[in-house]
Amino acid sequence: GATISVGTAQATITGVTLSTIRALGDRGSILVLCRGKGTSVSRANDVAADRSQLPENAQTEAVCHYIESEIGANSTLAQCLRKGVAYHHAGLSQETRWLIESLIRKNLVQVICGTTTLAQGVNFPITTVIVETLRKGAKDLNYQDFWNIAGRAGRALMDTIGIVVFPIIS
């Protein structure tokens, strides 16, 4: 396995995740598996703060306007989407999750910070999965959940390899 080293100032799970995204982002979309909805939101905000705003896109803007009307004008989700980042968890409405998934499928989102909800039966163009947690709520991930998430790495007929990353702080 390869190692991505970070400076001591970045020796946190967040720092390691951000360094990994910077190092592997050119390969394609990245899924960050987060422990819960709060972590999904905060990690997406961290990633978005590290990125520039993307050129305006009509479909992304339409989704952002919908989200702002549903969640509120100061939605961090819409701000993240404009930088190619999303969070995804069961606390979002089914409509919002579906709209985010449509942006992911069209490669308008490059980094998705989500819970195991994202991996349930949905096929996305993901090249790298960063597994920040082996927990699913209060329980450990079972083997089936883990392999379902890890199996998202590598796009069929497009990638010869998928990468699964475990950020470790020593």
Side-chain angles (χ1 to χ4, degrees):
T3 302
I4 296 174
S5 55
V6 297
T8 54
Q10 295 179 321
T12 64
I13 292 293
T14 303
V16 174
T17 295
L18 291 174
S19 294
T20 303
I21 290 168
R22 283 185 217 113
L24 299 176
D26 289 344
R27 291 192 72 249
S29 297
I30 297 173
L31 169 61
V32 181
L33 177 65
C34 300
R35 182 169 183 166
K37 66 181 185 177
T39 306
S40 298
V41 172
S42 64
R43 191 66 71 246
N45 287 326
D46 294 336
V47 173
D50 195 50
R51 298 169 63 93
S52 301
Q53 187 138 334
L54 297 175
E56 193 167 310
N57 172 283
Q59 187 170 359
T60 301
E61 277 308 305
V63 171
C64 289
H65 288 297
Y66 174 83
I67 288 168
E68 288 169 337
S69 69
E70 181 182 73
I71 299 174
N74 296 324
S75 165
T76 61
L77 180 53
Q79 294 167 16
C80 287
L81 288 172
R82 290 182 175 109
K83 293 185 173 191
V85 180
Y87 55 83
H88 187 288
H89 55 71
L92 297 172
S93 73
Q94 184 61 44
E95 294 81 6
T96 295
R97 289 194 313 244
W98 184 84
L99 289 168
I100 291 168
E101 292 163 11
S102 72
L103 294 178
I104 295 167
R105 278 190 201 90
K106 294 185 178 185
N107 292 313
L108 295 171
V109 170
Q110 292 80 42
V111 180
I112 308 96
C113 301
T115 62
T116 55
T117 305
L118 182 62
Q120 295 171 352
V122 184
N123 189 18
F124 294 120
I126 301 293
T127 59
T128 303
V129 175
I130 302 173
V131 181
E132 284 193 352
T133 184
L134 291 173
R135 307 279 295 167
K136 181 178 180 179
K139 299 185 277 185
D140 289 336
L141 281 179
N142 62 37
Y143 292 109
Q144 180 180 352
D145 288 334
F146 172 79
W147 287 111
N148 190 24
I149 292 157
R152 301 290 168 200
R155 299 167 297 177
L157 306 176
M158 297 189 74
D159 290 323
T160 55
I161 189 168
I163 298 175
V164 179
V165 178
F166 290 90
I168 297 173
I169 308 303
S170 54

